[in-house]
Amino acid sequence: MLTTLKTSYTDTRAADLAWCLGREPLPALAVLDLNFPGCAVQLRLLGASHQVLLEEESGVCSETVACIPGSSTPLPLGVAKRVGAWEYEFAARVETLSRCSFAGRAQELLALVAEHPQGLAGTFPGSPHAFTALLAQRRDGQVSWRTWHAYPQEGRLVATRTRVGVRIGALSPAEGRAAAQLSMD
């Protein structure tokens, strides 16, 4: 789904992005609710970037990547930690592209996400290449999402990748055996 966000472009620099786990839902400009087997995922576009809410029987996981005034946690290159019964992995990468390359990459990503049933993208007024995009999936008992945050005035594209899966120790004995068998295949 592609939407034009009704707000001014407030994310001015890739370096202003911060990462946070566990934040309450923030006001969203666009939302996509996804129901996967055993869980619900809400993709949220904020005026300041994105938030993903994952809800399963075992709990809730909230990831926020945004320009948050007063935030003291900059965007990390990688995080791996336990969140309740889950294993959480996050990675971020910043690409600097030429003006031509940036425009082409922006169009490619917006087309990919806009036409995907599990994707949400929002463009900001005033710049056709200023956007935030999210794409989620559930596979093999794990939920994952990718995001892209575009800063055309800098020629920078911030890409993130997140994977959330249940810890082997948090599974029932039968689920644990099945997961162990899958990892050996």
Side-chain angles (χ1 to χ4, degrees):
M1 178 170 92
L2 178 62
T3 186
T4 299
L5 302 172
K6 298 191 182 349
T7 187
S8 60
Y9 184 53
T10 57
D11 285 354
T12 56
R13 296 173 351 140
D16 292 339
L17 282 176
W19 167 86
C20 179
L21 276 178
R23 187 175 278 267
E24 292 294 318
L26 296 170
L29 300 172
V31 173
L32 179 63
D33 290 308
L34 302 170
N35 291 304
F36 295 118
C39 74
V41 174
Q42 187 175 74
L43 304 178
R44 303 168 60 82
L45 292 175
L46 312 175
S49 280
H50 89 259
Q51 187 172 51
V52 176
L53 306 176
L54 166 64
E55 188 173 342
E56 280 187 332
E57 194 175 285
S58 57
V60 175
C61 178
S62 166
E63 173 190 276
T64 306
V65 172
C67 297
I68 303 168
S71 177
S72 60
T73 307
L75 189 65
L77 294 178
V79 174
K81 65 187 305 179
R82 290 185 177 155
V83 177
W86 294 315
E87 293 291 340
Y88 172 91
E89 293 177 6
F90 172 88
R93 176 178 93 246
V94 179
E95 294 177 62
T96 302
L97 304 164
S98 70
R99 185 175 297 267
C100 253
S101 294
F102 189 92
R105 184 78 171 127
Q107 289 173 343
E108 175 185 287
L109 288 169
L110 285 171
L112 168 76
V113 175
E115 296 177 15
H116 197 287
Q118 294 158 224
L120 175 63
T123 57
F124 291 88
S127 176
H129 301 122
F131 69 90
T132 300
L134 301 95
L135 187 61
Q137 69 175 355
R138 181 172 177 103
R139 189 169 65 197
D140 299 331
Q142 299 179 352
V143 177
S144 60
W145 55 87
R146 298 192 62 190
T147 74
W148 298 271
H149 307 261
Y151 299 89
Q153 73 282 9
E154 294 183 311
R156 292 193 177 189
L157 183 67
V158 178
T160 73
R161 179 184 43 82
T162 301
R163 183 195 64 79
V164 180
V166 177
R167 285 197 319 261
I168 297 292
L171 300 175
S172 71
E175 292 171 321
R177 285 189 298 277
Q181 182 61 41
L182 281 173
S183 68
M184 289 189 278
D185 291 341

